[in-house]
Amino acid sequence: MSISTATHDGCSSSSPRSAKIANLIRQFTNTMKSGGLKFKDRCKKPTQVHALTINSILSSSSSNSDESTTLPFVNAKSLLPYGLPDTHLIEPPLDPHLNPLDFINSISDLYKRIIHSSSESESCGLYLEQYALFCAVGDPKLLRRSLQSAREHAVDIHSKVVLSAWLRYERREDELVGISAMDCIGKVLECPKSALIDIAYDPSHSVFDRCQCVSENASENLNVTGSRTSLNNEFLVHGNDDEIVWFCIGNEVITCLRPKIASLSSPLNTLLYGNFIESAKETIDFSRTGISKEAMRGVEVFSRTKQMENFFSPSIVLEILSFSQKFCCEEMKSACEVYLSPLISTIEDALIFIEYGFENMASLLVASCLQVLLRELPSSLNNPKVLTLFSSSESMEKLASVNHSSFLLYYFLTQVAMEEKMTSVNTVTLFERLIESATDTWQKTLAYHQLGVLLFEREEYKHSQTCFEAAFEMGHVYSATGIARTMYKQGKTYLAREVINKILSENKPNGWMYQERSLYTLGSKKILDLEEATKLDPTLSYPYKYRSVSMVGENQINEAVEEINKIIRFKISPDCLELRAWFHLCLEDYPAAVRDICALLSLDPNYMMFHGKMRGDYLVEVLNQKVQQWTPADCWVELYDRWSCIDDIGSLAIIHQMLVHDPGKSLLRFRQSLLLLRLNCQKAAMRSLRLARNLANTKHERLVYEGWILYDTGYREEALSKAEESILIQRSFEAYFLKAYTLADASLDSDSSSFVIQLLIDALKCPSDGLRKGQALNNLGSIYVDCGKHDLAADCYINALDIKHTRAHQGLARVYSLKDERKAAYDEMTKLIEKAGNSASAYEKRSEYCDRDNATSDLSMATQLDPLRTYPYRYRAAVLMDEQKESEAVEELTKAIAFKPELQMLHLRAAFYESMSEYELALRDCEAGLCLDPTHKDTLELYHRTQKAAEYT
């Protein structure tokens, strides 16, 4: 059943606009025959669609030879070869993560369970559950902190191995040239050797401590070298005849000390001193035990030295391992595993040794193999043998037999498979293993829901529906969207709508509920549902996309652009940029289309345009024939202009174009990463930063980029060390800036502030361009303000403005405000608003320098432009609280917390509840806030204060 009755060309054949469209077709055909459209000939943007029936146009003009010179493939395709965007193909994807109805209650309850957990193992599992809940929020820092906490409390080797590999996977060090998957970055947290050490949790030794694996390796080598003196013949001089036993293997005789061999295990002790006939023999035939003479000599050496000598070959140690398993020699078996573990460094090694591990029940050896396979993710999953190892039920049983099958393991594997968009049968099997390994309700719920999403993507709707129903029965209400969607795909639109109607009637409405119901309604009801969805959750992109595509169908292209702009202003994503580019193609605004496609290719280099039917980079090549081409110098001029206008998307697009001509330029990749971070595209930013590091031509430059990677992943001290090392090699702007930025991240006293100031001054003395120096001047001004040196700060901001660093207006306004020149501060922010083009942050900041009425107006505009900014909600709530409108104040915060559960808003709402003597609600918000940041001092104080108040009521 069709959701929309609009046709691809936006009107039916009997539409009143048909004559106008026919005229447009004739115009388009004449233009094509006269040599093609050229951007420089156009004076203004057209307001109608010129290519609505492009296939018929092409068929009538395919013989024109001039077209091939302007656009090589125009005989076969056009700039709109697939018509207009289709509302059927922009349906919102199903969220694969846990999505509780009341997120705040869920994380509040989780926090209470964490602080009252009875064991480290339980705490580890709770932090994994926290990770699963935070996936719905999508904040990489929250997710990483949850994994780090889980690793901190992990007590068994298996959990340590999986979590260390997962943390490494999140950093993707495999993309750094010259870095091995098994390299240690200097922290216990991710160290592959530390993960294999079976020691109990010790609060005094944090996993965030520096790893000592290098020095430990040195001492181990020293000990091994020193042990070589105690070898075969020494005991023969001092041994008594009755202590000697000879083991015959073929024609060889191995001389051993009977008590030493007997001490290896109870079975051997019984054999040599028990009631067996061998106990009375001096010579025992071991030819049928399956051990070679070389391996038996190794057993003899271990019986005396309790060490595996480093001159033993791996094959001999494997034989000794098998002998140990057969005769229950646990100490020797453990030594064999410790000896073999460091030898496993490749996927091929791991696949070979893991079979020996299974055969001999060698848990540590299997852990070592597992670690290599996991630390090579995602590439290792492309190996059929690895995928079979993890997906087959037989392998799962083998892993379980050595304590290496767990929900944690399969959760990690399935997350990687989802991120890599793997939808093969083997991936389905991985999810089936996830379900089998799930024990807690939340684990089973997550497993069934995610398998349902995967099967939905594979268009196996009946099986998908079954999985969603299982998750729904376990209390995951959001899985109803999966039930409804699978029914809809099977042609049961009415039943799908009834499923969501039932959810809406039984629960507090949520934005996703109205969004989902809109898929199963038409006309005005659909529009009303989408408007309600946007009202409850303005971050949902589908309502904006649907409304804009519908406008295109009605030939309202400019209005469609403005509609999609509403979400692009605060939430950039490839799909929304694609739609805007598509709209610009309809308007024949080719430069704007190129800008948007280049920007989205910065986010996703392999993006496919037109609902997945054409490569984005190919379309850019075609469009480049329609727009003016810039030289590298032109690009830098344009970049300065875009940067000055705070047009981050335009800046990103220009850098992408520069990279096409100079793909090996590490500096450009670094600039790209800075812009992506500013646009809150953290994964894409990290990818660009890694490329910058890999492309760096000098060591000092490479060290700076490595420092930024470490800083962005939470390793501040290591980042500082990289900056200092880079400065020792060469004094550069970026090295000084990295060092200053890293130090300024901590709370600065007067001495450290002076040090950071000097670092920024040193940076400004080094060669760089105005874009970066403007940022340094801006940062320097901020520190001067914090130190009370307002005149120096003003000089910095004015100098930054002189080189077009427009954001310095905000700093200068702050200086004026501190000097009680509020009118000047207001005017300064007005300049920023005029230059930045409706900047939400500028409106928000300007509100601090005007009266309450104007402040309310500015904050309203800020919320309209960017509903994710939390200050306006907190301000309005505080005003309502001052007016003793307590319920309205709480509601103002509540409506924002519903789509952005942010710590400061939770803290403020908790404080409101405390003042209203609603202690249970205050405690709930404190607990939720502390789940987001357990170290937040103000929230901790409020929490303890509220607990005491609650005890007396």
Side-chain angles (χ1 to χ4, degrees), residues 49 68 141 165 236 269 306 371 455 553-554 608 835 918:
V49 182
S68 60
K141 291 183 179 179
L236 294 175
N269 184 71
K306 301 301 180 184
Q371 179 164 250
L455 292 173
E554 296 173 358
M608 301 290 289
K835 292 181 180 179
E918 297 280 358

Side-chain angles (χ1 to χ4, degrees), residues 231-244 257:
L231 296 180
N232 274 341
N233 295 327
E234 187 175 346
F235 77 94
L236 294 175
V237 177
H238 304 287
N240 298 323
D241 290 342
D242 59 351
E243 291 182 338
I244 296 175
L257 285 174

Side-chain angles (χ1 to χ4, degrees), residues 813-842:
R814 184 185 175 197
V815 172
Y816 288 140
S817 176
L818 291 170
K819 292 181 176 181
D820 291 328
E821 300 175 17
R822 292 176 62 81
K823 177 64 169 59
Y826 182 89
D827 292 342
E828 202 64 35
M829 291 309 301
T830 301
K831 294 176 184 176
L832 178 57
I833 290 171
E834 292 169 351
K835 292 181 180 179
N838 297 329
S839 169
S841 62

Side-chain angles (χ1 to χ4, degrees), residues 178-189:
I179 300 294
S180 166
M182 297 300 291
D183 284 347
C184 175
I185 64 167
K187 293 278 189 180
V188 175
L189 190 71

Side-chain angles (χ1 to χ4, degrees), residues 70-90:
T70 304
L71 192 61
F73 70 97
V74 79
N75 288 330
K77 299 180 180 178
S78 75
L79 297 180
L80 286 173
Y82 302 102
L84 299 178
D86 189 345
T87 55
H88 295 80
L89 299 178
I90 59 170

Side-chain angles (χ1 to χ4, degrees), residues 156-166 168 181-182 192 195-196 337 340-341 344-355 357-358 362-377 380-381 385-391 395-396 398-400 402-410 412-413 430:
D156 60 280
I157 287 177
H158 173 76
S159 297
K160 292 177 182 178
V161 163
V162 177
L163 288 165
S164 294
W166 201 336
R168 183 204 168 272
M182 297 300 291
L196 295 174
E337 293 184 76
L340 292 169
S341 293
I344 306 164
S345 59
T346 66
I347 293 176
E348 291 71 22
D349 294 340
L351 290 172
I352 293 171
F353 279 93
I354 201 169
E355 292 301 325
F358 290 148
S363 181
L364 181 63
L365 181 59
V366 172
S368 302
C369 298
L370 195 62
Q371 179 164 250
V372 171
L373 298 177
L374 295 179
R375 292 176 76 90
E376 290 287 354
L377 289 171
S380 59
L381 274 186
K385 292 181 179 178
V386 175
L387 199 52
T388 300
L389 170 68
F390 288 128
S391 61
S395 294
M396 185 179 184
K398 289 180 179 179
L399 286 167
V402 288
N403 300 317
H404 284 296
S405 177
S406 68
F407 177 84
L408 172 63
L409 170 64
Y410 285 99
F412 178 28
L413 291 170
L430 279 179

Side-chain angles (χ1 to χ4, degrees), residues 452-473:
V453 172
L454 176 62
L455 292 173
F456 182 84
E457 291 176 356
R458 288 172 54 84
E459 300 182 1
E460 299 179 24
Y461 299 125
K462 288 186 178 179
H463 293 112
S464 175
Q465 182 179 338
T466 302
C467 291
F468 286 127
E469 287 172 347
F472 182 78
E473 287 299 319

